Amino acid sequence: MERRRLTVSMRLVGLVGPLLLVFLLVVVWYFPGRQRIRLLEQQVDATAAAVFTQVAADREYYASVVVPRLEALSLPVVDQYQHVPSAFPLPATFLREVTESVSRAHGPYRIRLVSPWPINKKSGLVDATQRDAFDELLATRSSSVRRRDLVGDVEVMRYWAADRAIHQSCVDCHNGHADSPRRDFHLNDVLGAIEVQIPIAEPWHEAQRDQSLMLFGGLGLSLALIALITWGARRVVTQPIGELAREMARISAAGGVVGEVPPVRRPDDRPVGAEIDQLWHRFEDMQHEVKGNQQRARELSESLEQQRQRQLAFVAGVVHDLRNPLASMKMAAALADKAYEEGSGERYHKAAAMARRQVVQMTRMVGDMLDAARIEAGQLELVLEERDARELAKNVLEVYQPNAIHQLRLTVPDAAVATRCDPMRIEQVLNNLVSNAIKYSPEGTEVELAVAEERGDTVLSVTDHGIGIAPEDVQFLFEPFHRARLARETAPGVGLGLSVAKRIVEAHQGRIEVASSAERGTVFRVRLPRSGPAGATAAAAR
């Protein structure tokens, strides 16, 4: 069974989800929750400190202001003041009774005076927490001690501040008491402790409830963020990549044939990330390139097929064109034998002339094929000479003058047209053009060979009034083995002459042009630089 692969969105959720939850736990829950609890503790500490300050201030006022005035009035200040007429309590007794009256009131906190000494039996230590706190006050001389405790099923914060001897009467009372464990108390010694109890259950639970609400609210926010990120990633990343993958699959299913290029933007024109946008652009470029390669491959395939067909036609044409001269030569040989036996010299000479013409035709065909092979191999070399172009044109027409059945006309300027060229190759080009003009023109029509000079170029033109060339054949006219339709229907040939002529002209760094229309004739123009090609010899371009 194939293992299911996770999508980008699923992987993104797996990566971002735990990070958001950790962020929620640490930032949204821990720090704000701890801050709220710390603030609550500070508020409770401030309340306890305020109570201690107020109690200490009242006691200080009583001991330093009230007691001296009472003594000045000769009023007794004693411990058991209830049993002495007109007596007032000691500062410690005053403090105990003040704290007891506050505790009896329905306030937000409770306060009482505690002491481990037997002299303060009413304020004795009642639990282990008080004993530990009092021992800590004695041992560390701290200003206060704090404990979180449970008193009567109520969660409270308990504070103890040291109750020190601030008046000599308190020291004397403790040192002179019969049950006192020691007789060496001094001023500022710890005689007891002031305990404040502040309920914290309700505010503490409120803080915890707020912390829980923050936790669940942050969880909801995290889930919303995860959903938003997932939706955005799906819209901006996974969907465009999925569409790209589907397009690639469609191309693959079609055998690599590229159809219409999809738009880089989706139909709703939604934005995508820069990387995805670039990926789509690269895919679009790839599709265009593949389409171009496919088009070029088709064109190359068609060209190769046409080349193959032309080669087949060439082979058939060569076989046909060689068969005719061979048959004529065979017939000429037979006529020559018969004429020799009969002693007819005239018939013998006619047969020999026929054989010579066929040999010339075969030699020309073989020469064209050899030249085509040299050109394709890049081995055609030119032997350059300074020659008069008029002389070359005249030499070509003299070949066709004796047996001309056309009106051959030579048009040349009065002055010499000096041209640096390979005279044998240029005469070969002109021979091909004049031969074609004669071959594809009706008998009795004019064939003109003209020489001119235009802007430093030598221009050799051959004009006929023959069958012409169809427009669709002009672009393929100089390709090897190609023959125009009208030419195939009019005369035999292999389609190498014009291709060889074009390569020879290009080897001279010139060009050959053609202007023609069907049934109205053709004009070929050969343009050669009068200074010739660069170098003493030049190879034909492949």
Side-chain angles (χ1 to χ4, degrees):
M1 182 176 180
E2 185 179 358
R3 182 181 178 184
R4 183 180 179 184
R5 306 190 65 177
L6 299 178
T7 64
V8 175
S9 299
M10 295 171 65
R11 292 182 182 274
L12 189 62
V13 170
L15 177 65
V16 175
L19 294 178
L20 282 177
L21 291 177
V22 171
F23 173 80
L24 172 68
L25 182 64
V26 174
V27 178
V28 178
W29 182 74
Y30 180 77
F31 286 110
R34 291 292 302 171
Q35 187 68 21
R36 177 69 183 274
I37 293 174
R38 188 177 296 111
L39 180 62
L40 176 62
E41 291 176 349
Q42 291 175 355
Q43 292 175 347
V44 175
D45 290 347
T47 301
V51 171
F52 287 143
T53 301
Q54 184 63 45
V55 170
D58 292 344
R59 181 184 179 185
E60 180 69 22
Y61 180 81
Y62 182 80
S64 61
V65 177
V66 176
V67 171
R69 289 183 180 181
L70 292 175
E71 291 177 346
L73 296 174
S74 301
L75 294 175
V77 178
V78 296
D79 180 26
Q80 302 294 329
Y81 70 97
Q82 299 94 340
H83 306 291
V84 178
S86 302
F88 290 87
L90 292 172
T93 307
F94 170 79
L95 177 61
R96 182 180 66 248
E97 293 189 356
V98 168
T99 57
E100 289 177 355
S101 63
V102 172
S103 298
R104 288 192 294 269
H106 298 285
Y109 55 84
R110 298 188 64 184
I111 182 171
R112 63 190 298 265
L113 183 66
V114 296
S115 175
W117 313 121
I119 191 174
N120 297 319
K121 295 180 180 180
K122 292 184 178 181
S123 304
L125 303 180
V126 297
D127 56 41
T129 305
Q130 287 180 340
R131 294 188 184 88
D132 293 341
F134 192 81
D135 291 341
E136 185 175 345
L137 288 174
L138 290 175
T140 63
R141 302 186 64 82
S142 301
S143 61
S144 64
V145 176
R146 182 182 68 178
R147 295 286 188 275
R148 185 176 174 181
D149 198 8
L150 193 66
V151 178
D153 297 332
V154 177
E155 191 172 12
V156 298
M157 191 69 76
R158 302 175 71 177
Y159 295 87
W160 292 271
D163 175 29
R164 299 182 181 276
I166 62 172
H167 196 270
Q168 187 61 41
S169 60
C170 295
V171 174
D172 295 340
C173 182
H174 277 75
N175 287 332
H177 198 279
D179 296 330
S180 178
R182 44 183 292 195
R183 308 290 178 177
D184 57 349
F185 285 103
H186 300 87
L187 288 175
N188 207 37
D189 282 349
V190 177
L191 302 180
I194 304 171
E195 180 182 358
V196 176
Q197 296 182 5
I198 302 177
I200 61 171
E202 184 176 352
W204 197 270
H205 292 159
E206 288 181 358
Q208 290 180 333
R209 184 176 65 251
D210 293 344
Q211 192 174 18
S212 300
L213 291 176
M214 292 177 64
L215 175 63
F216 288 111
L219 179 62
L221 179 61
S222 299
L223 294 177
L225 286 175
I226 293 174
L228 180 62
I229 292 173
T230 304
W231 175 82
R234 180 177 178 81
R235 182 178 177 84
V236 177
V237 179
T238 57
Q239 284 185 352
I241 291 180
E243 292 170 359
L244 181 61
R246 286 190 292 273
E247 179 65 14
M248 289 181 176
R250 185 183 67 80
I251 295 174
S252 178
V257 179
V258 179
E260 293 297 326
V261 178
V264 175
R265 297 285 185 182
R266 305 284 62 77
D268 57 357
D269 198 30
R270 65 175 178 269
V272 297
E275 297 82 358
I276 305 302
D277 190 48
Q278 186 179 20
L279 183 62
W280 268 100
H281 278 296
R282 292 293 177 268
F283 179 63
E284 182 184 23
D285 294 341
M286 181 194 72
Q287 286 184 307
H288 283 299
E289 184 177 351
V290 171
K291 288 180 67 176
N293 291 337
Q294 290 176 346
Q295 181 63 28
R296 286 190 291 273
R298 284 193 295 268
E299 293 173 355
L300 179 60
S301 177
E302 294 172 358
S303 176
L304 291 175
E305 179 62 23
Q306 293 174 1
Q307 186 78 2
R308 190 180 72 85
Q309 294 297 331
R310 286 196 295 270
Q311 288 178 343
L312 292 176
F314 163 71
V315 173
V318 169
V319 172
H320 180 271
D321 289 349
L322 288 177
R323 181 186 299 168
N324 288 340
L326 288 173
S328 298
M329 291 175 66
K330 183 178 180 181
M331 183 176 64
L335 291 175
D337 290 340
K338 187 175 182 181
Y340 178 78
E341 292 173 357
E342 295 176 354
S344 174
E346 182 180 359
R347 292 177 60 188
Y348 181 82
H349 288 299
K350 288 182 178 180
M354 180 187 299
R356 282 194 297 272
R357 287 195 300 271
Q358 301 306 319
V359 170
V360 170
Q361 182 178 352
M362 292 179 63
T363 301
R364 180 178 175 183
M365 291 174 58
V366 173
D368 285 345
M369 287 187 286
L370 288 175
D371 286 340
R374 291 192 188 98
I375 290 171
E376 289 299 321
Q379 297 176 353
L380 179 65
E381 294 186 352
L382 304 179
V383 181
L384 303 177
E385 301 177 11
E386 192 78 22
R387 298 292 295 271
D388 187 352
R390 300 178 304 171
E391 178 186 349
L392 301 180
K394 182 180 178 181
N395 293 341
V396 171
L397 281 191
E398 285 178 351
V399 175
Y400 297 97
Q401 286 287 359
N403 301 312
I405 57 176
H406 292 73
Q407 300 178 27
L408 303 180
R409 183 158 64 92
L410 177 64
T411 303
V412 296
D414 294 335
V417 183
T419 305
R420 183 174 174 78
C421 64
D422 185 331
M424 184 183 71
R425 293 299 182 183
I426 295 302
E427 286 185 6
Q428 179 182 348
V429 172
L430 294 178
N431 266 307
N432 182 274
L433 297 179
V434 172
S435 174
N436 286 344
I438 293 173
K439 185 188 303 183
Y440 301 116
S441 298
E443 295 182 7
T445 58
E446 182 181 78
V447 175
E448 179 186 15
L449 175 56
V451 180
E453 180 184 353
E454 295 181 5
R455 295 187 295 275
D457 290 341
T458 298
V459 179
L460 307 170
S461 60
V462 177
T463 305
D464 67 58
H465 301 280
I467 61 176
I469 305 171
E472 61 271 14
D473 289 324
V474 171
Q475 58 178 330
F476 305 109
L477 196 60
F478 297 100
E479 292 188 5
F481 314 118
H482 178 80
R483 299 189 69 214
R485 180 180 56 82
L486 295 176
R488 292 195 303 270
E489 296 174 355
T490 303
V494 295
L496 282 176
L498 288 178
S499 173
V500 172
K502 181 175 183 290
R503 295 298 184 89
I504 291 174
V505 172
E506 289 177 345
H508 283 79
Q509 297 180 359
R511 65 182 187 274
I512 184 169
E513 304 168 347
V514 60
S516 180
S517 59
E519 307 298 337
R520 299 187 63 178
T522 305
V523 179
F524 282 92
R525 292 185 180 88
V526 176
R527 293 183 178 272
L528 301 173
R530 294 186 63 186
S531 59
T537 61
R542 296 194 61 180

